[in-house]
DNA sequence: ATATTACCAGACCGATCGGTATAGTGAGTG
DNA sequence: CACTCACTATACCGATCGGTCTGGTAATAT
């Protein structure tokens, strides 16, 4: 296929992924039937099975898309010239904002693992996601990814998401943010330290 | 009904709740059909609908049973004569053990909220559960339930559970435990303080 | 001109879902 | 004895599930 190919404005595959992204995330994976995904995408059912082997493959593609989005968002939020504590705070602040605007429906990976506890493909993508989060948090503090304080940041991020989704408590999210900043401060007594 | 009534060794309702407890928790609520619950309980389908209005009512009863079990377990684990930090550590240690023995399938309330995001009855029981947890953690440190450090303990408990279920990482659970103990120590400089 | 490709519309499939209805059993009570 | 009550067993219901199949259209490639 050459670059001159026009094809539809957006391909059936893209529309399906966009539809799956909305529906799976807002209403859950098991509660979202294939027919609904297809109708919502404005696409023929056959187009789904031309692009994905089955529903599970669609779910995995959806999660990979979410992982990609997480990375993009994380990089967009980060200012490498800011002090460590501010870079960390930005991560939590983004979460707190989405809780308050009621656009938060939980971590797509956690939700997927809970909805499909025996699906190994889901576990694999989720493991990738968690590694990415850990690495990113480590980068924000210029710490080795294996360090104890990185584990603590991961824990606080887990906590904030659960408190947001299950507890519906933005104050808890902000408290987690405070804890994370204190953690960074404790390891960087010089305060206004900068990233790479 | 007099006390002389024998009835079956265990009633159909009890067997249904036991069956639901196992299946909902291990395989998820949506993945567990009514027929399976009934068969696993060794009970007639009609007996289910004689005791519960519908599946949702069974789910709520299951969660109430889990809440009851959580409280009983928490009290059994607690030694009010131990120092605060040990009382807190016991909560996390119990969690870490169940992760390592692969008997941990996540928080039933978190799982239910994610599986049935639009069910208000599930939200209600879950809110109760979270209040119970908060109060218990506050009691373990003799702190006012509204205090900041109680919020932090709640966050660390959320974190430990998520790290266990999604991250499958007992080391993270233990790290959360350490953080909780440090938190208690910081607020109780006299160390070997005792409860009520 | 022809073959291929990507797509749409929708009928259709067997399986399973939550839930109901029918019929019968066995122990406890008046 | 008749009656109730909790229970079992199973057939059945409409709806929906994930997935397949047929048939047709429009654009591209050779």
């Amino acid at each position: 296929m050459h670059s001159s190919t026009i094809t539809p404005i957006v391909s059936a595959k893209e529309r399906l992924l966009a539809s799956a992204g909305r529906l799976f995330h807002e209403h859950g994976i098991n509660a979202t039937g294939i027919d609904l995904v297809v109708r919502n995408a404005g696409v023929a059912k056959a187009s789904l099975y031309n692009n994905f082997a089955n529903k599970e493959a669609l779910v995995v593609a959806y999660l990979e898309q979410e992982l990609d989005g997480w990375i993009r968002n994380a990089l967009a939020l980060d200012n490498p010239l800011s002090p460590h504590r501010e870079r960390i705070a930005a991560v939590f602040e983004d979460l707190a904002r989405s809780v308050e605007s009621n656009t938060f429906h939980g971590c797509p990976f956690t939700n997927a693992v809970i909805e499909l506890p025996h699906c190994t493909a889901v576990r694999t993508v989720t493991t990738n996601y968690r590694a990415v989060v850990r690495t990113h948090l480590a980068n924000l503090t210029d710490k080795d990814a294996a360090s104890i304080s990185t584990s603590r940041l991961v824990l606080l991020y887990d906590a904030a998401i659960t408190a947001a989704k299950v507890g519906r408590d933005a104050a808890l999210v902000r408290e987690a943010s405070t804890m994370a900043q204190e953690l960074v401060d404790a390891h960087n007594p010089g305060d206004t330290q900068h990233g790479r």
Side-chain angles (χ1 to χ4, degrees), chain A:
Chain A
M1 183 177 300
H2 304 113
S3 59
S4 63
T5 309
I6 307 273
T7 47
I9 299 145
V10 303
S11 69
K13 186 172 186 174
E14 288 171 295
R15 300 172 64 135
L16 282 165
L17 273 175
S19 169
R22 264 175 276 132
L23 298 171
F24 286 164
H25 195 210
E26 287 180 27
H27 305 303
I29 293 168
N30 289 329
T32 303
I34 286 296
D35 289 350
L36 182 58
V37 175
V38 162
R39 198 182 324 135
N40 194 275
V43 140
K45 207 170 180 179
S47 294
L48 197 166
Y49 289 97
N50 281 340
N51 289 283
F52 305 95
N54 47 40
K55 188 182 184 181
E56 180 180 317
L58 178 62
V59 169
V60 170
Y62 149 70
L63 289 178
E64 281 165 350
Q65 176 186 246
E66 290 290 327
L67 175 50
D68 203 60
W70 190 93
I71 294 172
R72 229 193 306 280
N73 183 247
L75 294 180
L77 285 173
D78 184 37
N79 177 1
L81 301 180
S82 296
H84 294 146
R85 60 192 309 280
E86 286 182 19
R87 297 175 73 189
I88 288 289
V91 173
F92 288 86
E93 195 51 39
D94 179 58
L95 183 58
R97 268 193 305 270
S98 81
V99 173
E100 276 157 357
S101 66
N102 283 329
T103 60
F104 185 72
H105 301 283
C107 167
F109 306 92
T110 298
N111 294 354
V113 163
I114 287 173
E115 286 210 86
L116 291 75
H118 301 309
C119 176
T120 61
V122 164
R123 280 232 81 101
T124 301
V125 190
T126 299
T127 301
N128 289 346
Y129 159 75
R130 289 184 68 85
V132 165
V133 169
R134 165 175 277 270
T135 301
H136 183 67
L137 290 176
N139 284 344
L140 293 189
T141 60
D142 286 348
K143 282 281 187 304
D144 175 340
S147 86
I148 284 187
S149 84
T150 298
S151 287
R152 294 187 171 202
L153 289 174
V154 169
L155 281 166
L156 290 172
Y157 193 63
D158 280 339
I161 288 176
T162 303
K165 169 70 178 179
V166 187
R168 288 189 150 159
D169 190 335
L172 276 183
V173 176
R174 294 226 151 80
E175 185 64 34
S177 182
T178 302
M179 290 174 76
Q181 290 171 64
E182 290 175 4
L183 224 162
V184 174
D185 288 345
H187 282 69
N188 294 316
D191 198 46
T192 38
Q193 231 147 355
H194 289 235
R196 69 194 62 254

